[in-house]
Amino acid sequence: STWLAENGLAWIGGGGLALGGLLIVAYAAQRGFFTPALRILTAAATGGVMIAASEWIRRQSRAPGGRHALAAALAAGAGAVTLYGAVWAAAALYQLIPLPTAALLAVLISLGLLSLSLLHGEPLALLAVLGAALAPALASPHPWPPYVQDGYLLLLTATAAAVSARRRWALANLASLLAMTVWALIDLVTGRETSAALLSAAIAVAGA
């Protein structure tokens, strides 16, 4: 009950905020509001506002009596999830940008979110890892080219391991390793043995 009172509602609120960001993108697409380009820009702006708000909340939490660090981390995570959704929609739904560009933008969002986790703490690192790991799956039914996905996952594994090692975030590193293990199994099942081997080697190094 103590954990729920202090942290549980913040996690629920952050999850709802992230889901709301994605639903804004989906609803705008279904209802035909604005032009496709304007829908994407609106979603990206919404994600940016969430991240900016998270920084404001973080600074308030540093003031005397402030206790909003977790809320700040979750707001930043929700903003990043909204940006992931905007990138996915721009590439997969509207073909406004090519898939390699979408993959690069997803990489930049992931790296930016992991960088922000150095300010906000391990909860944001967890959201960063899980959101980044889901990004290639969101590209369905327009999957990333194999070389793009392999490079992205390898970079994510290395970055998450480096950030987790610097801050000694065992849980964030474990989440990264588990997510990458799932992708390695998917590669193996789909006949991409080389990709599975590369990712398995990266997992072994990151977990050492």
Side-chain angles (χ1 to χ4, degrees):
S1 60
T2 301
W3 181 90
L4 181 62
E6 295 182 354
N7 299 319
L9 294 179
W11 276 102
I12 294 172
L17 192 61
L19 181 60
L22 291 177
L23 288 177
I24 287 174
V25 178
Y27 183 77
Q30 292 172 1
R31 304 297 296 180
F33 291 163
F34 314 120
T35 64
L38 188 56
R39 297 170 203 166
I40 298 303
L41 289 176
T42 302
T46 301
V49 168
M50 290 181 185
I51 293 175
S54 75
E55 178 60 19
W56 181 83
I57 296 171
R58 184 183 72 85
R59 294 186 179 185
Q60 298 304 309
S61 70
R62 297 173 62 186
R67 298 182 59 188
H68 307 297
L70 180 58
L74 294 174
V81 168
T82 304
L83 291 178
Y84 279 128
V87 169
W88 166 75
L93 290 181
Y94 305 123
Q95 291 78 49
L96 294 175
I97 57 177
L99 287 176
T101 301
L104 176 61
L105 290 174
V107 168
L108 294 177
I109 294 170
S110 302
L111 294 178
L113 194 53
L114 284 170
S115 298
L116 282 175
S117 70
L118 296 176
L119 296 175
H120 291 281
E122 192 171 18
L124 182 56
L126 282 169
L127 288 174
V129 167
L130 296 177
L134 286 173
L138 292 176
S140 177
H142 304 280
W144 293 356
Y147 69 92
V148 173
Q149 180 171 308
D150 292 345
Y152 173 79
L153 293 175
L154 289 172
L155 178 62
L156 174 59
T157 304
T159 305
V163 172
S164 298
R166 179 177 177 180
R167 288 303 181 92
R168 297 182 180 180
W169 289 338
L171 190 58
N173 193 44
L174 178 61
S176 172
L177 295 177
L178 290 175
M180 295 308 106
T181 299
V182 171
W183 276 113
L185 292 174
I186 292 174
D187 286 338
L188 191 61
V189 170
T190 56
R192 297 177 56 199
E193 291 83 1
T194 302
S195 298
L198 287 173
L199 197 52
S200 297
I203 293 170
V205 172

